[in-house]
Amino acid sequence: MPNTIDPNDVRIFSGRSHPALAADIARHLGLSLDATHYSRFSNDNLFVQLGASVRGRIVYVVQSLIPPVSDHLLELLMMLNIARSAAAREVHAVIPYYSYARSDKKNAPRISITARLIADLLETAGATQVMTMTLHSPQVHGFFSVPADPLTARGMFVSHFHNRGYSPESTIVVAPDYGRASSAARFANQIGLSAISAEKTRLSDTEVYISDLIVRQVEGFSRAIIYDDEIATGGSIVELSRLLIESKIQEIIVVCTHGLLIGDAIHRMVAIPQIKEIVVTDTVPIPPEKRAPILTVLSVAPIFSEAIRRNYTRQSIGELFAFGEEQD
Amino acid sequence: MPNTIDPNDVRIFSGRSHPALAADIARHLGLSLDATHYSRFSNDNLFVQLGASVRGRIVYVVQSLIPPVSDHLLELLMMLNIARSAAAREVHAVIPYYSYARSDKKNAPRISITARLIADLLETAGATQVMTMTLHSPQVHGFFSVPADPLTARGMFVSHFHNRGYSPESTIVVAPDYGRASSAARFANQIGLSAISAEKTRLSDTEVYISDLIVRQVEGFSRAIIYDDEIATGGSIVELSRLLIESKIQEIIVVCTHGLLIGDAIHRMVAIPQIKEIVVTDTVPIPPEKRAPILTVLSVAPIFSEAIRRNYTRQSIGELFAFGEEQD
Amino acid sequence: MPNTIDPNDVRIFSGRSHPALAADIARHLGLSLDATHYSRFSNDNLFVQLGASVRGRIVYVVQSLIPPVSDHLLELLMMLNIARSAAAREVHAVIPYYSYARSDKKNAPRISITARLIADLLETAGATQVMTMTLHSPQVHGFFSVPADPLTARGMFVSHFHNRGYSPESTIVVAPDYGRASSAARFANQIGLSAISAEKTRLSDTEVYISDLIVRQVEGFSRAIIYDDEIATGGSIVELSRLLIESKIQEIIVVCTHGLLIGDAIHRMVAIPQIKEIVVTDTVPIPPEKRAPILTVLSVAPIFSEAIRRNYTRQSIGELFAFGEEQD
Amino acid sequence: MPNTIDPNDVRIFSGRSHPALAADIARHLGLSLDATHYSRFSNDNLFVQLGASVRGRIVYVVQSLIPPVSDHLLELLMMLNIARSAAAREVHAVIPYYSYARSDKKNAPRISITARLIADLLETAGATQVMTMTLHSPQVHGFFSVPADPLTARGMFVSHFHNRGYSPESTIVVAPDYGRASSAARFANQIGLSAISAEKTRLSDTEVYISDLIVRQVEGFSRAIIYDDEIATGGSIVELSRLLIESKIQEIIVVCTHGLLIGDAIHRMVAIPQIKEIVVTDTVPIPPEKRAPILTVLSVAPIFSEAIRRNYTRQSIGELFAFGEEQD
Amino acid sequence: MPNTIDPNDVRIFSGRSHPALAADIARHLGLSLDATHYSRFSNDNLFVQLGASVRGRIVYVVQSLIPPVSDHLLELLMMLNIARSAAAREVHAVIPYYSYARSDKKNAPRISITARLIADLLETAGATQVMTMTLHSPQVHGFFSVPADPLTARGMFVSHFHNRGYSPESTIVVAPDYGRASSAARFANQIGLSAISAEKTRLSDTEVYISDLIVRQVEGFSRAIIYDDEIATGGSIVELSRLLIESKIQEIIVVCTHGLLIGDAIHRMVAIPQIKEIVVTDTVPIPPEKRAPILTVLSVAPIFSEAIRRNYTRQSIGELFAFGEEQD
Amino acid sequence: MPNTIDPNDVRIFSGRSHPALAADIARHLGLSLDATHYSRFSNDNLFVQLGASVRGRIVYVVQSLIPPVSDHLLELLMMLNIARSAAAREVHAVIPYYSYARSDKKNAPRISITARLIADLLETAGATQVMTMTLHSPQVHGFFSVPADPLTARGMFVSHFHNRGYSPESTIVVAPDYGRASSAARFANQIGLSAISAEKTRLSDTEVYISDLIVRQVEGFSRAIIYDDEIATGGSIVELSRLLIESKIQEIIVVCTHGLLIGDAIHRMVAIPQIKEIVVTDTVPIPPEKRAPILTVLSVAPIFSEAIRRNYTRQSIGELFAFGEEQD
């Protein structure tokens, strides 16, 4: 039984989506990233070469499914496939942001449950295990045929709000829709607050309608912590904030794992004076121009590196994250 | 392209869980059930024999996963396997009540996502398609590798409440927990009402805690329609009714697809005078002694038979159920 | 190459069928059983949780397919599936009594070769190896796609009869039907006797007809050792004993691996005065009320534990059992 | 539902092992064999080309695994594979003599259950169904993952002996070993006789030892019908005949499905004057020089063609063979 | 056996890569394209919905892997997956330009044989058959596990040059590298000319070195027809033309199946006065601005539609293309 | 990470095709071959038994697909299957000569891409990795689903011609057909020469036509090194030599990996006085009677043993063969 990671027994490669996070994860493990060479042929075909022998070794490939998602996905599939074909002992897909987790059901005829399709593609390509974070719904875990570890950032969020002294009389945790409600309730419970859920109806990819039933529920509270899994254009947050402010909420804090912050999302939220803080993680790279003063970015590198370390040394990952459940 | 069902091209068999429903489905198709012979060896091994040749035919095996669930599941797997081995052209598992849909995520370490396991077992046994109803969460659809049609009873429920004249000022639809909230909202919308969700915490299999946040939300309403997917012991309904009654609700109607009504469930609900009606379907057989006067049992046989007919004649199943989504 | 079992590298779990045997196997290995938590939801769904981390470890799950067989089978499938999903390195199904081995052929149209179906289900659930004992026919070994080790209790039986001084003139080994004949002949040969076979026709699950051709064959012998693989209701033994007694056999000894002893089986046999001894193993738990004075129960725990030890330390299992073949 | 075979919808190809039988089967169906081109490269690689388009059609490939078995097997695998790759709708392997059925268990460590391996290879190559005859043990049926139809020649044998007036007092059916005993008993029962089994021990591939227990059993009979599945060198038949003759049997008839008749097998049997008749089928081609006067060859072409016709027109194959069970 | 296509039995969908070709293929079949709805979520996830029921039908999805290749590939995988999940009877991937066919071998360690990976992904997504054209090497055919039909445009090219009166003394067909040599030889043979091959070494994706061995070979010829499978940047054509012109070739004609014509490829070739004609097909869409006067675009729609028609009516595709082999 | 091979952790078995090479490979690893017992039943079925326990070990099975190819292939499949079933940890098929690599494409309708079929059969039988040498085309690598290492003998050939002082003005490397051209060019480059390719058309298995275009290309050279992958009957070499001699080549050296030398191949070549040397390897056994004085046989045992050693100790195989690419 190994107690420490043998650097010669492990390879960590990064796709092109988020090399900074991959390097951080490696650094926390006392390792360094192994080189990967990428290029693109003139016919737009991708080319990838892993820069270190993987024969008989445990390989981790780190890739977040950020835009351009299709390129990053195919690059990941190719990297997994190379590792398998080159006789790696285990091939782990480490996907901090699994964007397609949102496509987890058929709410219209003849559409794709793409979260399942991609789980199957990962296995076909050669993944023997998958590590990811905060899936859109906990059931997506069941889409994987190989062992999967959906990690959570909730523990980090709980620590972040520790000792703030928010009282349950003044502060309420708000889930933007029913799908987030259980997760928000678990977070609220860990910091001694209550949670409610708005009822959001999605009119289109960028427009939402939120029922005003929320008004009754936040009556009497002055501070709201909106707890979500992903901020893309920020539309839901902006609309929910409008309703909360109408309901006399004076201070809003936004907490979210995947800070995609597409387009002017960050500016739309910063423009609302009641929003005092936005807390996200770095599962998705956040460029300097989006790093507004009220934005706090917590790094998930310690979580992923610890999960890898425990996986390698055969310690329970569940035990480690005793402060939270296996997934949101 | 077939326009009608050729009786010689189709075989419908029933497991031992719910032959009355299976016969009803067959009857709606103008067919009759094919014989199946069951017995049990003295060592408790099951024995099944299909009573009609399936060679080159389309076979439907109807089985609800009611107690004893393990026996009914194994019997179903054996029947599917016999059909496949005997060279059936297609093998459809028709599972009106897929009990294990509730085991759809890991909320503790080292437990089983049994809903996925059983989807895989069905495929191993030989199922080429699956038809079921009102899965506990819509994501369970993605657990199946073969084409799956999760039908809904919502259309029947909507028809049942048509022309009742319930006004949105007096009547509110209540989901017992966040997981049911979206489904309840869709139902409410179709009968012109609003919906809210209670926040239920499960303390054990038979005990639940429901947050009193619900009190604020039902303020001003006099009638509540509780909308759930499954009633087992009735514990959630009883506890939620208590809270609603404390909140001045005077009339409660319970609507639920799978009326398991374990033990004295029906009596516990009947004992609450504010509960005026309980509407369930027959995905699970309901014996005479549980057929209380306030219990209405709607038959799903027309839905399943129409889905089978459309499947056979290659018509869209989604088009048929234009009044609702493909699943709850 | 490991020489001894590293307790931290191995996990042994027991299903609910036969925890005493599982604990015995673990004890013989110098290990202790790891905890497993079971319960049953009110809708009859099973719930299982493995009580120790299996990540990267070799897992053995011990379960005999005794009544209620379907529950024990599903419980086993769930435990295997949990181990696989939780990233165990190897997952061994240890099934001392594989009841469905009897369903090994199609002797009627459209029945199930359930022994094969279950072998496939075990693999789907996650078993990477299977260990079992005395399959009803040696061909069942070929139903498994994963490596399988069908062990034998014959060596124990041979030892048990060592030095009894039974002469080949007085004593004959009798197989109750042709399917047992080869196995009986091998046993007889090892204790210096001859063997014959009755011709049994099964009229129903509990009634058999045995041809009187046996009369000629036992002429001149005074003692018969009936050698069978499984005693369920004891019907075959009783009927065969009747014929043997008619043929002037004065003393009967019954030897059998799987002592299911359903209902009053033990009393029916004890009631025959010529039956002097019944020797079975503990692949199936035998409660105190069935432990008649003439019943000898030999424990298979040493055999299974030694097979596990040799499997772990990569020693040949065949070499160990040099006194017998790999299976009956 | 088709009532007759559409010649344009079906293709029948023959490998090189037994084109006469394949042509007979086609002729009984009112079809003709489709051309197949074979050759062998100078490096001993096989080359096969199917001579008619199989796109969207049902393809039957007829091949008996006679010597050279490996060449015939690989040729069969290639033909199945071509049909699959060329988009056939169904691909049936028709294997009148499945020689490896004899390798059905591990009676020594580290040997191959080749009957299972080949079943898997057939599926990998593209077989969607398998049709064969008189497998060495009925359990081999369970080795196939695709639907398999093991036909029987017993009905033909029964017809052959119809009206011979053999009395049960004078004539006994003898199985050469316990593995044939059940099958022999079924045959005996259908022609109104009793059956016994010799106890054969195989000393080597060509030498056997038969226990003299048989002597007691045939006491009083004057005619023996030896019922076996396969005659290779004839060694068992010769040795068993010797014992029977010693036991005062005056007339011996040999009945066997697969008449391999290797080397001088036929002459060794003909040399025994008490052997009055040898009845075999043509699952294996029998050249003129082996067609001794006492040899009767029954053709299995009607059985295979009728099975194909019923398969195509979706009639039960079991019903057809009401005179016998699905397999020996 | 169908003789014509039943419009209600077939669905043809187009991805976003080349709807004009897809519509043309449908038109040649007397059908029209079925609607497909595409969009992209703000997080860059793709969304696709098939606009017509596919239940029990044969579905063709047409998609060329042109830039953006990864998006088009994922879109194709999703469309195949939707069709499979919605219970289509057959799912055909029609990929006129399979760009990754070029990644067909490992010429460096730890790179991906992406042509095989993608063949596997197509099968995982649900493709039951694949139709494509002019694969980079004929061996790529063997990468597909499902039936694949690699069509050829050679027949069209041969017709195009029919009756031009090019004499074998004046005109030579030139393959730009050894990989194209066999294909060029076959083309040359069909129009009565000889063929030679240049030896091209690829220095980078856009730079090539061509050995001057070619000089000797074209001595005495005045016209060269360069025969290639794909023109991306045109670099090879330009460099080869330079050498040919140095070798006294006065007229150059370029023939190529896949006219990607990336960037200024068309202008670079047009700028060479000796290049008199460039003949490509429309497997890749060619926008108006690239349609230079010397460019001839032959449509492959008749080939693909005829192949689909023959596939549907179960006629041999090979027979149709008697003028050429199944692939280049 | 292992640095040396633990003899108790590895088993090397040889099929009957080439035990001398297998023993040599073992010897280079400091190991000895493990015993294998073969026989053949009278019905021509093969029987194999591995002579040492493989449980938990890494197993290498060495078999060249030389005549009788089908027997050697089936024997190999059985050996792999035994190893897998007996719980080996890894099962490597080491196939120095993979004859069916030549059947790598469909150049006629309804033939088999047998190189792919056999790759699939190897995986079905249990191979977890494959090692081979000089595949007929590099794309065949992509036919394997399991990790495959196609080694090259080119390094040995380069060493063999080192310091011979052949000048690029006098000596040219000649590929017999376009398929060998790239490989020949790489070899030529490594010994400082140029390469050209003949255009060979195969008229039948034993007759070829070689275009006289070669005449122009070899003008001025006096020595030709023919570089091929396999010599079967020698027909191509003889015909090419004839043309080269007509073109004033005075000295011919033949270099080829797989020296099958069927029939009188060696004598036909020796009979040509200009052929001064024939260099082959021992991937195929070469009997004494074929060991002509001008024949040099280089042993591949060091290459295979080093590849096995590096595989076992997890060193890059690509790094080792830095002098050449991974395959020809």
Side-chain angles (χ1 to χ4, degrees), chain A residues 228-262:
Chain A
D228 207 351
D229 63 333
E230 168 180 337
I231 302 174
T233 63
S236 299
I237 301 294
V238 168
E239 177 61 13
L240 179 54
S241 296
R242 193 185 59 72
L243 268 173
L244 291 174
I245 293 164
E246 278 179 27
S247 309
K248 311 277 188 285
I249 290 291
Q250 291 155 26
E251 184 180 330
I252 295 171
I253 298 171
V254 177
V255 176
C256 170
T257 302
H258 306 299
L260 280 173
L261 307 174
I262 304 291

Side-chain angles (χ1 to χ4, degrees), chain A residues 6 8-9 53 55-57 84-89, chain F residues 1 129 145 147-149 310-311 314-317 319:
Chain A
D6 172 355
N8 191 26
D9 192 33
S53 176
R55 196 169 288 270
R57 289 178 181 77
R84 198 247 315 255
S85 299
R89 182 159 98 252
Chain F
M1 296 284 294
Q129 273 184 252
S145 301
D149 286 302
R310 287 179 170 260
N311 187 280
R314 305 187 197 173
Q315 292 174 268
S316 171
I317 286 181
E319 283 163 19

Side-chain angles (χ1 to χ4, degrees), chain E residues 121-272:
Chain E
L121 298 182
L122 290 168
E123 189 183 4
T124 297
T128 60
Q129 272 183 256
V130 172
M131 199 173 273
T132 183
M133 180 168 273
T134 312
L135 293 170
H136 187 62
S137 63
Q139 287 83 2
V140 173
H141 193 166
F143 290 1
F144 293 94
S145 302
V146 296
D149 286 302
L151 306 173
T152 178
R154 197 184 321 122
M156 286 202 320
F157 293 140
V158 167
S159 298
H160 184 74
F161 287 97
H162 194 61
N163 287 332
R164 288 248 177 139
Y166 293 160
S167 80
E169 287 72 33
S170 67
T171 308
I172 183 97
V173 172
V174 183
D177 58 44
Y178 292 134
R180 303 303 94 210
S182 299
S183 178
R186 254 179 255 124
F187 168 71
N189 181 54
Q190 288 183 304
I191 58 171
L193 303 180
S194 290
I196 57 169
S197 176
E199 184 198 342
K200 182 172 76 178
T201 309
R202 191 162 280 284
L203 304 177
S204 76
D205 177 45
T206 54
E207 281 179 298
V208 299
Y209 164 77
I210 296 178
S211 157
D212 56 11
L213 285 169
I214 191 78
V215 177
R216 289 190 185 196
Q217 300 185 68
V218 300
E219 209 179 300
F221 292 102
S222 61
R223 183 188 294 111
I225 302 178
I226 301 177
Y227 192 82
D228 207 351
D229 63 334
E230 169 180 335
I231 303 175
T233 63
S236 298
I237 301 295
V238 168
E239 176 61 13
L240 179 55
S241 295
R242 193 185 59 72
L243 268 173
L244 291 173
I245 294 165
E246 278 179 26
S247 309
K248 311 279 188 285
I249 290 292
Q250 292 153 29
E251 184 181 331
I252 295 171
I253 298 171
V254 176
V255 176
C256 169
T257 302
H258 306 299
L260 278 174
L261 305 175
I262 303 290
D264 62 349
I266 192 72
H267 306 113
R268 292 173 70 192
M269 292 188 289
V270 165
I272 298 171

